Amino acid sequence: MKKLWKNNRVVFVLVIILIICFISIIGVTLTFFYSKDTSTYGNRLDNIEKYPISNEFKASYKDKMLENENVKSINFDIKGRIIYITVSFDENINLEKAKSVISSSITEFSEEILSYYDIQFILKSDNFTIMASKNAASEIISWNNNTPIKEEEENEEEK
């Protein structure tokens, strides 16, 4: 045994270090990927119960939006701290009018909800598709134009 240790002590020490590193990596991996927190959002939804959005509010918001004759349908969905609102408009509305409808609809939300939730709008029509977002920390709505450019319009511009 002494002869084996004497001839291979460097190999034994390296194998012991390798085993310790392997056990450490497994321990860190298990802790990182299999934590006790079962929520997809982690702790980001702490205190969400203080800012409830009732089904009555959703229904009244939808009814208020559908009062506009250009609004065909509306979908109101909440995931975590983000409110997703998809509004379909008829083909008679222009982009600026649709933006003003959405901008005025923000007043339906209370200050508490606006300060806690982010709001994502998707506006759809035959003439345009545009997205907007309102961050909880911001007062303004940011617009992002996703309207595809038709080849016919490009050909007309070249002439």
Side-chain angles (χ1 to χ4, degrees), residues 1 5 22 29 47 51 56-57 60 64-67 69 76 83 102 106 110 119 128 133 149:
M1 186 71 164
W5 170 254
F22 185 69
T29 303
N47 300 325
Y51 305 95
E56 292 81 22
F57 173 77
S60 70
K64 181 77 170 171
M65 290 293 289
L66 290 171
E67 287 176 4
E69 68 267 358
F76 193 107
I83 301 171
I102 295 302
I106 289 289
S110 69
I119 303 174
F128 58 84
S133 62
I149 299 173

Side-chain angles (χ1 to χ4, degrees), residues 32-127:
F32 185 73
F33 288 110
Y34 299 106
S35 66
K36 295 176 184 175
D37 189 11
T38 58
S39 174
T40 306
Y41 297 98
N43 64 355
R44 291 175 285 185
L45 299 183
D46 289 350
N47 300 325
I48 196 166
E49 63 276 353
K50 293 181 182 177
Y51 305 95
I53 297 179
S54 65
N55 289 334
E56 292 81 22
F57 173 77
K58 290 179 190 179
S60 70
Y61 183 83
K62 287 180 181 181
D63 291 342
K64 181 77 170 171
M65 290 293 289
L66 290 171
E67 287 176 4
N68 187 316
E69 68 267 358
N70 298 112
V71 176
K72 290 193 321 189
S73 67
I74 182 166
N75 185 20
F76 193 107
D77 192 22
I78 301 171
K79 292 186 180 172
R81 288 179 63 175
I82 304 174
I83 301 171
Y84 294 96
I85 300 173
T86 305
V87 182
S88 296
F89 292 96
D90 63 14
E91 64 278 348
N92 298 329
I93 194 167
N94 64 22
L95 181 60
E96 293 304 315
K97 175 93 166 123
K99 284 182 177 182
S100 68
V101 168
I102 295 302
S103 296
S104 65
S105 75
I106 289 289
T107 59
E108 298 297 316
F109 293 94
S110 69
E111 288 299 319
E112 293 175 338
I113 290 175
L114 290 175
S115 66
Y116 188 76
Y117 290 93
D118 292 338
I119 303 174
Q120 301 288 325
F121 294 101
I122 300 172
L123 287 66
K124 295 180 179 182
S125 174
D126 292 341
N127 304 325

